[in-house]
Amino acid sequence: MDILCPFKTVADAAFTHEKIVIDKFHLVTLMNKALDEVRKQVQQTLNNHQRRKFFQSRLLLQKRAEELTDEEHEKLIELFELSPALEKAWELKEEFKDLLQLDDVKEATRALKRWYKEIIKSKRMPFYQVKKIIQR
């Protein structure tokens, strides 16, 4: 199900005793938006020379670690040297995508709880918002 508020409101009203399931696509989209918010926040704190390194970084940051070329990996390292906060946000995104691949419900639940704790430790507001949406 799409997790936009109007759809959820209608689903809650129509299916009062049923579980509402959100598909992975929408969860990954939320994660990518949260990561992009952190990227934008970081860019605002940098000087012009540093900002140039962020040129076309949005899609790079959304890529899975195992899909990165050596060159892309090096570019990520440069970005993370400028901002440990961005590195932590990227790690949160990667951890979340990893837990979506788990088949065992108990294992996935434990991983999700650990991920929630990492969000709290990271103090990254965009990820708090994702956490709240998932918990609903």
Side-chain angles (χ1 to χ4, degrees):
M1 179 184 95
D2 191 332
I3 54 176
L4 292 175
C5 198
F7 292 112
K8 184 172 182 339
T9 302
V10 170
D12 286 343
F15 307 107
T16 55
H17 301 293
E18 303 297 327
K19 282 188 175 182
I20 306 296
V21 178
I22 301 169
D23 65 54
K24 291 179 183 181
F25 169 80
H26 289 96
L27 294 173
V28 170
T29 299
L30 279 175
M31 289 303 305
N32 286 335
K33 285 181 180 178
L35 178 59
D36 199 45
E37 282 301 311
V38 173
R39 179 189 62 82
K40 289 175 184 176
Q41 291 168 2
V42 167
Q43 278 184 265
Q44 291 175 356
T45 67
L46 302 174
N47 64 41
N48 287 337
H49 176 71
Q50 293 169 322
R51 276 189 200 160
R52 284 190 203 115
K53 293 185 182 213
F54 278 77
F55 182 68
Q56 296 182 336
S57 64
R58 184 178 63 85
L59 295 177
L60 174 64
L61 289 163
Q62 289 178 5
K63 261 186 142 176
R64 292 295 314 256
E66 61 270 10
E67 296 171 354
L68 294 170
T69 65
D70 290 341
E71 184 179 317
E72 290 170 330
H73 184 75
E74 290 299 319
K75 182 162 181 163
L76 272 186
I77 290 171
E78 285 182 41
L79 297 178
F80 297 158
E81 286 172 354
L82 291 171
S83 174
L86 183 62
E87 180 175 15
K88 183 60 182 173
W90 186 80
E91 288 170 355
L92 286 169
K93 182 255 322 177
E94 285 294 302
E95 289 167 12
F96 187 78
K97 286 183 176 181
D98 287 345
L99 76 85
L100 288 177
Q101 303 303 315
L102 298 173
D103 292 326
D104 182 83
V105 174
K106 287 182 182 178
E107 185 181 352
T109 301
R110 285 191 299 271
L112 186 61
K113 288 179 181 176
R114 284 191 304 271
W115 187 77
Y116 287 162
K117 289 178 184 176
E118 287 298 314
I119 286 176
I120 292 167
K121 279 197 278 185
S122 77
K123 298 180 180 165
R124 300 282 121 215
M125 187 53 71
F127 287 91
Y128 281 123
Q129 294 166 345
V130 173
K131 177 182 175 280
K132 283 174 36 178
I133 290 169
I134 293 170
Q135 287 178 319
R136 283 191 287 158

